Amino acid sequence: MNFKENFLSEKMNRRKSNLWRTMKSVIGLFGLMMVFISSQFDLALAQETGSVLIENGTVLTITGENLENTDVLVENGIITEIGENIDAPQRIDRIDATGKYVMPGIIDAHSHLNGVDINEATSPATPQVTMKESIDPNDVGIYAALAGGVTSINLMHGSANVIGGRNATLKLRYGQDQHGLIFEDAPQTVKFALGENPMRVHGESSGIHPSTRMGVEMVIREYFDAAIDYRRNRTEYLEAKEEYDHTGEGTPPIPVAKNLRLEVIADIIEGNILVHCHSYRADEILMLVQIFEDYGIENYTFQHANEAFKVAPELAEHGAYASVFSDWWAYKFEVYYSTAYNASILNENGVVTSINSDSNELIRHLNHEAAKTIRYGNTTESDALKMITINPAIQLGIDEHVGSIEVGKHADISIWNGHPLSIYSVNEMTLIDGVVYFDRENDADDMRLDRAISPTENYEDTQSRAYQNSHGREADACMQDVFMLFDSQENRQSLHQEFHNQIK
């Protein structure tokens, strides 16, 4: 190499060196920016927590003894101490609960409270959609539920499809956006549906399966088998691709494309997603129990389950859960047969049972719904309260965090002026993560976040009007968005026009 070549080589190396130093500086600066942006984003996502001392109340722990004249200390949203005369730091706010009852926040395992859309009714199986993208955080119904002592709900997909969409477990942090309502660390749940609803939507309306209850079973088994094949093929492909990318030897494997619908169903079979299944009749309930046993699926809940009392021993034997109405049936043919003793019979047979609302009105007094199990079946007060606290928490897989008042659990708490199972008692205060979201003493006349309609114009929110216009349960809340499928084109247009007139 001559001098000229050496000179050019050294010059080139210096340029490379300078370029590399410049790139490292840019990369370092970009990294610092990303760390800063990420930290700010995390701060924005972090949920507000509170510290408070609730003093001298009667504490209904749910999982333990009732404790009179007892304090509950909450620090940063977590219950840290329960006892008498707790010496809390002066900086912590006090709530005087003398003469009042302190209980865990009520949990509703079946709700459509603030869903924007409820049914994606275009296929018998739509687990690829999620209610987490269909949340209205401004729905004033959230505040009404807080007034009834409710702190968490299972915001469910509708029952138009055999395998419906994924649900969203929410904390009712009224005033936060849809992401702020998500219950962190809650397992994913998914909606299934048996019986008339998927048969009407798909078999009778669209002319595809299922058109019978036999077809409902067929749909589940076909998708389960397809998901098992998919998971095996996809796993084998990814492993082969990794090996090929690492060694570069042989021929590249034939791709198996990602399929979100089958991914979710495979996760259901492997127990990573909990099933909550709309159901009424005892025969179809046992049908699904048999399917789940065949595929090794555990930890599932039958929703509604009006005839579950007929098969209570079988449900207990298989570890199935039930989430039911207290005394609501006969709103359509397949729900003709039930009893107000349903929950008590299930509970007596050892089935983990909850009382749900499936209604924006019932959710405001689930304490009364639970109390009916005492009248119909002599359920104990303790078990009645479990049906709206720890039992729905178990069904949603969040019982490690909420559902009882225990050290280490989230401070989701409601405070009542009398025993919560008394019809004369009212909830006075509701806290989530130690933060007060409802305080009856400071309850403003208008708590709407969306004030597009003036309260001086004889305001009724659109959901209340829709409920009244549909004559309540006769319209079946789980079938929201799909009734027009059953009508003529002319009537569909009329319904559209009527709806738009109502919301103007």
Side-chain angles (χ1 to χ4, degrees):
M1 184 178 294
N2 56 33
F3 172 76
K4 184 177 181 180
E5 290 173 331
N6 283 334
F7 175 76
L8 293 174
S9 176
E10 290 177 2
K11 188 175 182 181
M12 184 65 72
N13 287 336
R14 283 197 299 273
R15 285 183 175 177
K16 289 181 178 177
S17 179
N18 291 337
L19 178 61
W20 175 238
R21 282 198 296 270
T22 302
M23 289 180 62
K24 286 199 295 184
S25 298
V26 171
I27 292 171
L29 181 60
F30 180 75
L32 288 173
M33 290 176 62
M34 291 304 296
V35 169
F36 175 77
I37 293 172
S38 176
S39 65
Q40 296 304 303
F41 188 66
D42 288 344
L43 285 173
L45 290 180
Q47 301 300 338
E48 183 183 4
T49 59
S51 298
V52 64
L53 178 64
I54 303 171
E55 297 178 297
N56 203 35
T58 297
V59 179
L60 307 177
T61 64
I62 302 299
T63 50
E65 298 294 325
N66 297 337
L67 306 171
E68 295 183 350
N69 304 319
T70 297
D71 302 343
V72 178
L73 177 61
V74 176
E75 296 178 282
N76 298 319
I78 302 297
I79 298 172
T80 56
E81 188 174 352
I82 302 169
E84 297 183 6
N85 302 315
I86 294 176
D87 185 17
Q90 289 300 317
R91 60 179 171 78
I92 290 182
D93 293 335
R94 264 69 172 171
I95 297 174
D96 183 7
T98 302
K100 301 176 182 177
Y101 287 75
V102 180
M103 66 172 285
I106 292 172
I107 300 168
D108 189 351
H110 190 135
S111 177
H112 305 289
L113 177 68
N114 58 328
V116 177
D117 297 312
I118 302 301
N119 277 292
E120 173 54 52
T122 53
S123 167
T126 59
Q128 61 270 47
V129 304
T130 171
M131 293 301 295
K132 289 182 180 177
E133 304 300 337
S134 187
I135 298 170
D136 178 4
N138 297 328
D139 193 321
V140 72
I142 298 173
Y143 185 75
L146 285 165
V150 179
T151 53
S152 290
I153 65 169
N154 184 20
L155 180 62
M156 301 193 78
H157 189 271
S159 55
N161 310 331
V162 179
I163 301 175
R166 285 166 285 163
N167 309 312
T169 304
L170 305 183
K171 286 201 177 192
L172 302 184
R173 303 183 183 101
Y174 192 51
Q176 300 200 23
D177 64 18
Q178 59 268 41
H179 299 296
L181 298 183
I182 298 296
F183 194 127
E184 305 86 350
D185 302 324
Q188 181 64 63
T189 68
V190 67
K191 181 74 172 287
F192 276 35
L194 310 178
E196 288 181 8
N197 287 1
M199 290 160 51
R200 284 191 294 164
V201 171
H202 300 290
E204 297 175 20
S205 178
S206 301
I208 61 175
H209 61 283
S211 63
T212 66
R213 296 177 193 278
M214 294 183 294
V216 171
E217 178 180 4
M218 178 189 71
V219 168
I220 298 171
R221 290 186 181 275
E222 282 184 346
Y223 275 103
F224 278 10
D225 290 339
I228 291 172
D229 287 343
Y230 164 79
R231 176 58 56 86
R232 182 184 61 250
N233 295 336
R234 173 77 175 168
T235 302
E236 290 176 353
Y237 159 69
L238 292 175
E239 291 175 349
K241 182 177 183 302
E242 184 179 3
E243 178 68 16
Y244 177 79
D245 292 343
H246 179 68
T247 65
E249 298 177 350
T251 57
I254 299 174
V256 176
K258 184 175 181 179
N259 183 316
L260 181 55
R261 170 162 33 197
L262 296 179
E263 285 275 353
V264 174
I265 296 175
D267 281 342
I268 293 170
I269 296 171
E270 293 178 2
N272 300 322
I273 297 177
L274 310 180
V275 176
H276 282 246
C277 185
H278 167 107
S279 59
Y280 293 114
R281 288 176 27 168
D283 54 352
E284 62 186 11
I285 289 173
L286 287 186
M287 176 271 289
L288 193 64
V289 168
Q290 184 60 57
I291 291 177
F292 283 173
E293 183 171 329
D294 291 346
Y295 288 86
I297 297 175
E298 301 176 343
N299 198 347
Y300 50 92
T301 302
F302 286 101
Q303 293 284 344
H304 306 316
N306 287 66
E307 291 188 12
F309 68 95
K310 295 180 178 178
V311 291
E314 289 83 356
L315 293 180
E317 178 185 351
H318 289 84
Y321 305 146
S323 183
V324 304
F325 299 131
S326 58
D327 57 354
W328 201 2
W329 65 90
Y331 44 84
K332 60 180 178 178
F333 190 75
E334 67 178 352
V335 202
Y336 186 78
Y337 195 108
S338 192
T339 171
Y341 292 86
N342 192 20
S344 293
I345 294 172
L346 289 163
N347 182 65
E348 189 65 22
N349 279 272
V351 178
V352 174
T353 303
S354 67
I355 301 290
N356 68 59
S357 76
D358 193 14
S359 157
N360 293 1
E361 192 279 324
L362 279 186
I363 195 173
R364 298 185 295 121
H365 51 89
L366 274 172
N367 58 316
H368 296 163
E369 300 305 299
K372 292 175 183 176
T373 63
I374 298 173
R375 167 62 179 82
Y376 299 103
N378 294 322
T379 296
T380 64
E381 290 184 358
S382 174
D383 281 358
L385 287 173
K386 287 180 180 177
M387 291 182 185
I388 52 174
T389 53
I390 193 65
N391 286 3
I394 292 171
Q395 294 168 351
L396 297 176
I398 54 176
D399 52 303
E400 289 186 4
H401 307 296
V402 294
S404 61
I405 294 183
E406 297 179 65
V407 171
K409 285 199 170 185
H410 299 183
D412 293 5
I413 292 170
S414 61
I415 301 174
W416 298 71
N417 67 354
H419 195 285
L421 293 178
S422 167
I423 197 169
Y424 299 107
S425 299
V426 295
N427 175 53
E428 293 193 339
M429 189 174 288
T430 305
L431 299 85
I432 298 177
D433 302 319
V435 177
V436 176
Y437 281 89
F438 173 78
D439 182 355
R440 191 168 295 277
E441 283 191 359
N442 297 293
D443 182 28
D445 291 339
D446 186 1
M447 288 301 296
R448 291 172 300 136
L449 297 174
D450 184 357
R451 301 190 177 187
I453 302 174
S454 169
T456 63
E457 297 176 2
N458 192 24
Y459 170 79
E460 284 184 296
D461 68 65
T462 53
Q463 291 200 11
S464 293
R465 275 184 285 157
Y467 180 85
Q468 292 166 4
N469 292 339
S470 65
H471 306 292
R473 188 66 206 173
E474 291 179 12
D476 196 342
C478 292
M479 291 287 276
Q480 181 178 321
D481 306 327
V482 299
F483 280 104
M484 62 178 65
L485 294 175
F486 308 135
D487 220 326
S488 66
Q489 182 64 28
E490 181 180 350
N491 283 343
R492 290 183 195 184
Q493 293 175 349
S494 175
L495 286 170
H496 272 299
Q497 187 59 50
E498 182 181 350
F499 174 75
H500 288 298
N501 291 338
Q502 289 172 358
I503 62 175
K504 280 182 179 177

